[in-house]
Amino acid sequence: MKRLTAPEIAAAILHECKRRSIAVSNLKLQKLLYYCEAWSLALREESFFSDPIEAWVHGPVVADVFHLYKDSRWSPIGEAKTEAAAGKDALSHISEVIDAYGKFSATDLERLTHSEDPWIHARQGLDPDVPSRNQIGRDAMKAFYSARIGQ
């Protein structure tokens, strides 16, 4: 699968969610983007994108994508701000992630990521409301989600 940038994948997520009538805020977009990467590492044994994922207060965030859509604040994002250049394989993977996580609210997804080891370990020693730019390690993501295959 061709590696895309996180903004390209975010645009593809937004297009697919719009097609399914799923409202997506920046918070929810960040979590869907994170799970696209996590499950690519676990299922395909390759990274879906190379942009860093940081352990922010509200869960995993790709800062460039956050800033691209920050004007939406907590409201649903209207249109993608970049081209969705994902090919068939990437779109299939994105669709599978949306099948699994798209039904959850942004807050539900935030709680879920807060309960999982990769985010917890990246924030080790920080109080819950302390900002962080700590990166969530790809190796930790791969190990954690690979262990959940078939559960």
Side-chain angles (χ1 to χ4, degrees):
M1 186 169 19
K2 176 188 173 250
R3 187 181 293 183
L4 302 166
T5 66
E8 290 171 329
I9 294 167
I13 291 168
L14 289 170
H15 285 294
E16 181 61 17
C17 286
K18 185 174 184 175
R19 189 184 72 73
R20 297 181 188 201
S21 299
I22 298 171
V24 179
S25 64
N26 201 351
L27 181 66
K28 185 168 181 169
L29 176 61
Q30 294 296 325
K31 305 317 165 253
L32 293 173
L33 191 57
Y34 170 77
Y35 284 119
C36 281
E37 176 64 7
W39 287 109
S40 181
L41 291 166
L43 296 169
R44 303 172 191 291
E45 296 189 10
E46 64 183 11
S47 192
F48 204 42
F49 59 86
S50 61
D51 309 60
I53 302 170
E54 298 173 356
W56 287 19
V57 169
H58 294 287
V61 170
V62 176
D64 288 345
V65 174
F66 173 83
H67 292 297
L68 198 56
Y69 295 102
K70 71 181 177 184
D71 292 346
S72 296
R73 305 184 58 84
W74 297 96
S75 300
I77 296 168
E79 296 294 325
K81 298 203 178 195
T82 58
E83 198 61 38
K88 189 177 181 179
D89 288 343
L91 289 173
S92 175
H93 179 66
I94 289 166
S95 184
E96 290 172 1
V97 169
I98 293 170
D99 288 345
Y101 296 98
K103 62 187 171 252
F104 297 108
S105 73
T107 305
D108 290 337
L109 292 173
E110 178 181 339
R111 272 191 229 110
L112 183 60
T113 60
H114 283 201
S115 72
E116 296 172 339
D117 288 349
W119 183 84
I120 292 168
H121 290 289
R123 291 198 48 93
Q124 195 120 15
L126 296 174
D127 288 333
D129 58 347
V130 172
S132 166
R133 301 276 326 251
N134 294 351
Q135 287 191 22
I136 299 175
R138 290 321 205 260
D139 290 342
M141 291 169 65
K142 183 177 180 180
F144 182 82
Y145 295 99
S146 293
R148 272 131 194 87
I149 294 173
Q151 289 185 350

